Amino acid sequence: MSDTSDPPSPPPLTAKSWFDMGGDAAGPVLPSEHDFALWEKRVDALVILCQGKGLFSVDGLRRALEDMGPEAFESLSYYERWVMALRRNLVEAGAVTPAEIAARIEEIRARGETYGTVTGGD
């Protein structure tokens, strides 16, 4: 027996999505410069490299950012959101699996909190 009911109607094209702030109050813009952390520079470079390899486009990055939902978008920093979007795009492209990412994270955690910290030299 087939379902003869009509599919749900899509939202009107004039409806704003949660990430569309056009015309909304957004608070003051702080024009101060800041240094990027090394991990932020690495994320930026990784996104550019992956796009250059054709694993995803800037549109794919944006789609993943917009699909996060408002809670994640508001609670994560700019580059934390990029990490999440990068992960999603790489999984969707078949470049890595969630299991491979989880295994790598555990491998890095096992190094300990001080891994990579420069000590000594006194």
Side-chain angles (χ1 to χ4, degrees):
M1 181 171 177
S2 65
D3 182 5
T4 59
S5 61
D6 292 330
S9 299
L13 294 176
T14 56
K16 288 175 66 171
S17 296
W18 67 267
F19 49 81
D20 183 359
M21 295 181 61
D24 294 345
V29 174
L30 304 175
S32 62
E33 295 289 328
H34 69 279
D35 288 333
F36 294 101
L38 179 58
W39 74 270
E40 293 172 321
K41 293 175 184 177
R42 288 178 173 165
V43 169
D44 194 278
L46 191 54
V47 166
I48 291 168
L49 287 170
C50 290
Q51 288 176 341
K53 291 282 187 183
L55 294 169
F56 59 88
S57 66
V58 68
D59 295 327
L61 183 69
R62 183 179 175 108
R63 178 194 45 81
L65 291 167
E66 292 173 351
D67 286 350
M68 289 180 183
E71 294 83 20
F73 202 82
E74 293 296 329
S75 64
L76 300 174
S77 72
Y78 183 81
Y79 279 106
E80 287 172 334
R81 292 191 298 262
W82 271 38
V83 168
M84 300 300 288
L86 176 63
R87 177 190 186 279
R88 180 172 174 175
N89 276 286
L90 291 178
V91 169
E92 288 176 353
V96 292
T97 66
E100 290 171 329
I101 293 171
R104 184 72 173 142
I105 288 172
E106 284 307 312
E107 189 180 308
I108 292 169
R109 279 191 181 133
R111 295 176 182 168
E113 292 287 327
T114 59
Y115 179 80
T117 303
V118 177
T119 59
D122 293 326

PDB file of all heavy atoms in Angstrom, residues 41-64:
ATOM      1  N   LYS A  41      46.366  28.035  12.814  1.00  0.00           N
ATOM      2  CA  LYS A  41      47.077  28.147  11.531  1.00  0.00           C
ATOM      3  C   LYS A  41      47.100  26.800  10.819  1.00  0.00           C
ATOM      4  O   LYS A  41      46.960  26.733   9.598  1.00  0.00           O
ATOM      5  CB  LYS A  41      48.508  28.636  11.762  1.00  0.00           C
ATOM      6  CG  LYS A  41      48.585  30.057  12.286  1.00  0.00           C
ATOM      7  CD  LYS A  41      50.024  30.435  12.604  1.00  0.00           C
ATOM      8  CE  LYS A  41      50.115  31.810  13.221  1.00  0.00           C
ATOM      9  NZ  LYS A  41      51.485  32.156  13.604  1.00  0.00           N
ATOM     10  N   ARG A  42      47.260  25.739  11.593  1.00  0.00           N
ATOM     11  CA  ARG A  42      47.281  24.388  10.996  1.00  0.00           C
ATOM     12  C   ARG A  42      45.920  24.020  10.418  1.00  0.00           C
ATOM     13  O   ARG A  42      45.827  23.418   9.349  1.00  0.00           O
ATOM     14  CB  ARG A  42      47.730  23.367  12.030  1.00  0.00           C
ATOM     15  CG  ARG A  42      49.196  23.466  12.364  1.00  0.00           C
ATOM     16  CD  ARG A  42      49.603  22.489  13.428  1.00  0.00           C
ATOM     17  NE  ARG A  42      51.049  22.494  13.614  1.00  0.00           N
ATOM     18  CZ  ARG A  42      51.681  21.973  14.634  1.00  0.00           C
ATOM     19  NH1 ARG A  42      50.977  21.376  15.595  1.00  0.00           N
ATOM     20  NH2 ARG A  42      52.976  22.016  14.726  1.00  0.00           N
ATOM     21  N   VAL A  43      44.865  24.369  11.135  1.00  0.00           N
ATOM     22  CA  VAL A  43      43.515  24.089  10.635  1.00  0.00           C
ATOM     23  C   VAL A  43      43.279  24.849   9.337  1.00  0.00           C
ATOM     24  O   VAL A  43      42.775  24.295   8.355  1.00  0.00           O
ATOM     25  CB  VAL A  43      42.446  24.455  11.692  1.00  0.00           C
ATOM     26  CG1 VAL A  43      41.045  24.420  11.092  1.00  0.00           C
ATOM     27  CG2 VAL A  43      42.542  23.526  12.889  1.00  0.00           C
ATOM     28  N   ASP A  44      43.664  26.111   9.310  1.00  0.00           N
ATOM     29  CA  ASP A  44      43.499  26.927   8.115  1.00  0.00           C
ATOM     30  C   ASP A  44      44.246  26.298   6.945  1.00  0.00           C
ATOM     31  O   ASP A  44      43.695  26.157   5.838  1.00  0.00           O
ATOM     32  CB  ASP A  44      44.009  28.345   8.394  1.00  0.00           C
ATOM     33  CG  ASP A  44      43.574  29.330   7.335  1.00  0.00           C
ATOM     34  OD1 ASP A  44      44.242  29.381   6.282  1.00  0.00           O
ATOM     35  OD2 ASP A  44      42.573  30.023   7.544  1.00  0.00           O
ATOM     36  N   ALA A  45      45.490  25.893   7.188  1.00  0.00           N
ATOM     37  CA  ALA A  45      46.298  25.280   6.128  1.00  0.00           C
ATOM     38  C   ALA A  45      45.683  23.959   5.669  1.00  0.00           C
ATOM     39  O   ALA A  45      45.645  23.665   4.463  1.00  0.00           O
ATOM     40  CB  ALA A  45      47.720  25.054   6.627  1.00  0.00           C
ATOM     41  N   LEU A  46      45.188  23.175   6.601  1.00  0.00           N
ATOM     42  CA  LEU A  46      44.594  21.888   6.254  1.00  0.00           C
ATOM     43  C   LEU A  46      43.338  22.065   5.398  1.00  0.00           C
ATOM     44  O   LEU A  46      43.126  21.335   4.424  1.00  0.00           O
ATOM     45  CB  LEU A  46      44.272  21.098   7.525  1.00  0.00           C
ATOM     46  CG  LEU A  46      43.892  19.646   7.363  1.00  0.00           C
ATOM     47  CD1 LEU A  46      44.944  18.872   6.581  1.00  0.00           C
ATOM     48  CD2 LEU A  46      43.689  19.001   8.728  1.00  0.00           C
ATOM     49  N   VAL A  47      42.522  23.041   5.741  1.00  0.00           N
ATOM     50  CA  VAL A  47      41.322  23.311   4.939  1.00  0.00           C
ATOM     51  C   VAL A  47      41.726  23.709   3.517  1.00  0.00           C
ATOM     52  O   VAL A  47      41.173  23.209   2.533  1.00  0.00           O
ATOM     53  CB  VAL A  47      40.440  24.396   5.601  1.00  0.00           C
ATOM     54  CG1 VAL A  47      39.396  24.934   4.632  1.00  0.00           C
ATOM     55  CG2 VAL A  47      39.774  23.835   6.851  1.00  0.00           C
ATOM     56  N   ILE A  48      42.705  24.576   3.392  1.00  0.00           N
ATOM     57  CA  ILE A  48      43.148  25.017   2.059  1.00  0.00           C
ATOM     58  C   ILE A  48      43.720  23.834   1.268  1.00  0.00           C
ATOM     59  O   ILE A  48      43.418  23.662   0.085  1.00  0.00           O
ATOM     60  CB  ILE A  48      44.169  26.162   2.192  1.00  0.00           C
ATOM     61  CG1 ILE A  48      43.451  27.415   2.709  1.00  0.00           C
ATOM     62  CG2 ILE A  48      44.847  26.442   0.853  1.00  0.00           C
ATOM     63  CD1 ILE A  48      44.377  28.528   3.148  1.00  0.00           C
ATOM     64  N   LEU A  49      44.517  23.006   1.925  1.00  0.00           N
ATOM     65  CA  LEU A  49      45.092  21.839   1.243  1.00  0.00           C
ATOM     66  C   LEU A  49      44.001  20.867   0.787  1.00  0.00           C
ATOM     67  O   LEU A  49      44.044  20.347  -0.331  1.00  0.00           O
ATOM     68  CB  LEU A  49      46.071  21.123   2.165  1.00  0.00           C
ATOM     69  CG  LEU A  49      47.398  21.836   2.403  1.00  0.00           C
ATOM     70  CD1 LEU A  49      48.178  21.148   3.516  1.00  0.00           C
ATOM     71  CD2 LEU A  49      48.217  21.887   1.128  1.00  0.00           C
ATOM     72  N   CYS A  50      43.043  20.608   1.647  1.00  0.00           N
ATOM     73  CA  CYS A  50      41.968  19.666   1.304  1.00  0.00           C
ATOM     74  C   CYS A  50      41.108  20.211   0.169  1.00  0.00           C
ATOM     75  O   CYS A  50      40.684  19.450  -0.710  1.00  0.00           O
ATOM     76  CB  CYS A  50      41.109  19.368   2.524  1.00  0.00           C
ATOM     77  SG  CYS A  50      41.959  18.381   3.769  1.00  0.00           S
ATOM     78  N   GLN A  51      40.874  21.509   0.169  1.00  0.00           N
ATOM     79  CA  GLN A  51      40.123  22.097  -0.932  1.00  0.00           C
ATOM     80  C   GLN A  51      40.938  22.005  -2.225  1.00  0.00           C
ATOM     81  O   GLN A  51      40.391  21.719  -3.286  1.00  0.00           O
ATOM     82  CB  GLN A  51      39.758  23.551  -0.622  1.00  0.00           C
ATOM     83  CG  GLN A  51      38.679  23.648   0.445  1.00  0.00           C
ATOM     84  CD  GLN A  51      38.366  25.083   0.844  1.00  0.00           C
ATOM     85  OE1 GLN A  51      39.147  26.005   0.602  1.00  0.00           O
ATOM     86  NE2 GLN A  51      37.222  25.263   1.473  1.00  0.00           N
ATOM     87  N   GLY A  52      42.238  22.220  -2.122  1.00  0.00           N
ATOM     88  CA  GLY A  52      43.105  22.107  -3.292  1.00  0.00           C
ATOM     89  C   GLY A  52      43.148  20.699  -3.852  1.00  0.00           C
ATOM     90  O   GLY A  52      43.335  20.503  -5.051  1.00  0.00           O
ATOM     91  N   LYS A  53      42.976  19.707  -2.977  1.00  0.00           N
ATOM     92  CA  LYS A  53      42.945  18.302  -3.410  1.00  0.00           C
ATOM     93  C   LYS A  53      41.566  17.904  -3.929  1.00  0.00           C
ATOM     94  O   LYS A  53      41.367  16.765  -4.359  1.00  0.00           O
ATOM     95  CB  LYS A  53      43.324  17.377  -2.256  1.00  0.00           C
ATOM     96  CG  LYS A  53      44.768  17.471  -1.839  1.00  0.00           C
ATOM     97  CD  LYS A  53      45.620  16.706  -2.812  1.00  0.00           C
ATOM     98  CE  LYS A  53      47.059  16.626  -2.339  1.00  0.00           C
ATOM     99  NZ  LYS A  53      47.900  15.951  -3.320  1.00  0.00           N
ATOM    100  N   GLY A  54      40.610  18.822  -3.858  1.00  0.00           N
ATOM    101  CA  GLY A  54      39.265  18.539  -4.355  1.00  0.00           C
ATOM    102  C   GLY A  54      38.409  17.712  -3.412  1.00  0.00           C
ATOM    103  O   GLY A  54      37.398  17.138  -3.836  1.00  0.00           O
ATOM    104  N   LEU A  55      38.794  17.633  -2.141  1.00  0.00           N
ATOM    105  CA  LEU A  55      38.017  16.841  -1.187  1.00  0.00           C
ATOM    106  C   LEU A  55      36.710  17.529  -0.812  1.00  0.00           C
ATOM    107  O   LEU A  55      35.744  16.862  -0.445  1.00  0.00           O
ATOM    108  CB  LEU A  55      38.848  16.540   0.050  1.00  0.00           C
ATOM    109  CG  LEU A  55      40.045  15.625  -0.218  1.00  0.00           C
ATOM    110  CD1 LEU A  55      40.979  15.565   0.971  1.00  0.00           C
ATOM    111  CD2 LEU A  55      39.559  14.233  -0.585  1.00  0.00           C
ATOM    112  N   PHE A  56      36.703  18.843  -0.855  1.00  0.00           N
ATOM    113  CA  PHE A  56      35.476  19.618  -0.673  1.00  0.00           C
ATOM    114  C   PHE A  56      35.738  21.035  -1.139  1.00  0.00           C
ATOM    115  O   PHE A  56      36.879  21.424  -1.370  1.00  0.00           O
ATOM    116  CB  PHE A  56      34.968  19.569   0.785  1.00  0.00           C
ATOM    117  CG  PHE A  56      35.945  20.091   1.805  1.00  0.00           C
ATOM    118  CD1 PHE A  56      35.974  21.432   2.131  1.00  0.00           C
ATOM    119  CD2 PHE A  56      36.818  19.232   2.439  1.00  0.00           C
ATOM    120  CE1 PHE A  56      36.873  21.909   3.075  1.00  0.00           C
ATOM    121  CE2 PHE A  56      37.712  19.693   3.389  1.00  0.00           C
ATOM    122  CZ  PHE A  56      37.741  21.039   3.701  1.00  0.00           C
ATOM    123  N   SER A  57      34.668  21.785  -1.265  1.00  0.00           N
ATOM    124  CA  SER A  57      34.782  23.166  -1.730  1.00  0.00           C
ATOM    125  C   SER A  57      34.472  24.120  -0.578  1.00  0.00           C
ATOM    126  O   SER A  57      34.049  23.697   0.504  1.00  0.00           O
ATOM    127  CB  SER A  57      33.790  23.413  -2.876  1.00  0.00           C
ATOM    128  OG  SER A  57      32.467  23.315  -2.378  1.00  0.00           O
ATOM    129  N   VAL A  58      34.627  25.390  -0.841  1.00  0.00           N
ATOM    130  CA  VAL A  58      34.264  26.383   0.167  1.00  0.00           C
ATOM    131  C   VAL A  58      32.773  26.296   0.461  1.00  0.00           C
ATOM    132  O   VAL A  58      32.337  26.516   1.592  1.00  0.00           O
ATOM    133  CB  VAL A  58      34.703  27.801  -0.266  1.00  0.00           C
ATOM    134  CG1 VAL A  58      33.892  28.286  -1.453  1.00  0.00           C
ATOM    135  CG2 VAL A  58      34.604  28.780   0.888  1.00  0.00           C
ATOM    136  N   ASP A  59      31.990  25.917  -0.544  1.00  0.00           N
ATOM    137  CA  ASP A  59      30.550  25.737  -0.321  1.00  0.00           C
ATOM    138  C   ASP A  59      30.290  24.561   0.619  1.00  0.00           C
ATOM    139  O   ASP A  59      29.379  24.610   1.441  1.00  0.00           O
ATOM    140  CB  ASP A  59      29.826  25.511  -1.648  1.00  0.00           C
ATOM    141  CG  ASP A  59      29.909  26.731  -2.556  1.00  0.00           C
ATOM    142  OD1 ASP A  59      29.926  27.860  -2.040  1.00  0.00           O
ATOM    143  OD2 ASP A  59      29.976  26.548  -3.782  1.00  0.00           O
ATOM    144  N   GLY A  60      31.091  23.506   0.493  1.00  0.00           N
ATOM    145  CA  GLY A  60      30.956  22.357   1.389  1.00  0.00           C
ATOM    146  C   GLY A  60      31.318  22.736   2.816  1.00  0.00           C
ATOM    147  O   GLY A  60      30.676  22.285   3.776  1.00  0.00           O
ATOM    148  N   LEU A  61      32.349  23.549   2.963  1.00  0.00           N
ATOM    149  CA  LEU A  61      32.730  24.015   4.289  1.00  0.00           C
ATOM    150  C   LEU A  61      31.597  24.833   4.894  1.00  0.00           C
ATOM    151  O   LEU A  61      31.200  24.622   6.037  1.00  0.00           O
ATOM    152  CB  LEU A  61      34.006  24.856   4.204  1.00  0.00           C
ATOM    153  CG  LEU A  61      34.557  25.354   5.532  1.00  0.00           C
ATOM    154  CD1 LEU A  61      35.099  24.206   6.366  1.00  0.00           C
ATOM    155  CD2 LEU A  61      35.645  26.389   5.306  1.00  0.00           C
ATOM    156  N   ARG A  62      31.056  25.730   4.100  1.00  0.00           N
ATOM    157  CA  ARG A  62      29.958  26.571   4.588  1.00  0.00           C
ATOM    158  C   ARG A  62      28.729  25.731   4.946  1.00  0.00           C
ATOM    159  O   ARG A  62      28.090  25.957   5.966  1.00  0.00           O
ATOM    160  CB  ARG A  62      29.597  27.627   3.544  1.00  0.00           C
ATOM    161  CG  ARG A  62      28.518  28.554   4.036  1.00  0.00           C
ATOM    162  CD  ARG A  62      28.163  29.613   3.019  1.00  0.00           C
ATOM    163  NE  ARG A  62      27.056  30.379   3.523  1.00  0.00           N
ATOM    164  CZ  ARG A  62      27.146  31.631   3.953  1.00  0.00           C
ATOM    165  NH1 ARG A  62      28.291  32.250   3.903  1.00  0.00           N
ATOM    166  NH2 ARG A  62      26.099  32.257   4.415  1.00  0.00           N
ATOM    167  N   ARG A  63      28.394  24.772   4.112  1.00  0.00           N
ATOM    168  CA  ARG A  63      27.236  23.912   4.387  1.00  0.00           C
ATOM    169  C   ARG A  63      27.418  23.195   5.721  1.00  0.00           C
ATOM    170  O   ARG A  63      26.501  23.143   6.546  1.00  0.00           O
ATOM    171  CB  ARG A  63      27.040  22.888   3.270  1.00  0.00           C
ATOM    172  CG  ARG A  63      25.874  21.931   3.531  1.00  0.00           C
ATOM    173  CD  ARG A  63      25.906  20.731   2.604  1.00  0.00           C
ATOM    174  NE  ARG A  63      27.202  20.110   2.449  1.00  0.00           N
ATOM    175  CZ  ARG A  63      27.736  19.252   3.311  1.00  0.00           C
ATOM    176  NH1 ARG A  63      27.088  18.904   4.391  1.00  0.00           N
ATOM    177  NH2 ARG A  63      28.923  18.731   3.095  1.00  0.00           N
ATOM    178  N   ALA A  64      28.610  22.655   5.944  1.00  0.00           N
ATOM    179  CA  ALA A  64      28.859  21.947   7.200  1.00  0.00           C
ATOM    180  C   ALA A  64      28.778  22.904   8.391  1.00  0.00           C
ATOM    181  O   ALA A  64      28.273  22.533   9.451  1.00  0.00           O
ATOM    182  CB  ALA A  64      30.218  21.265   7.153  1.00  0.00           C
TER     183      ALA A  64
END
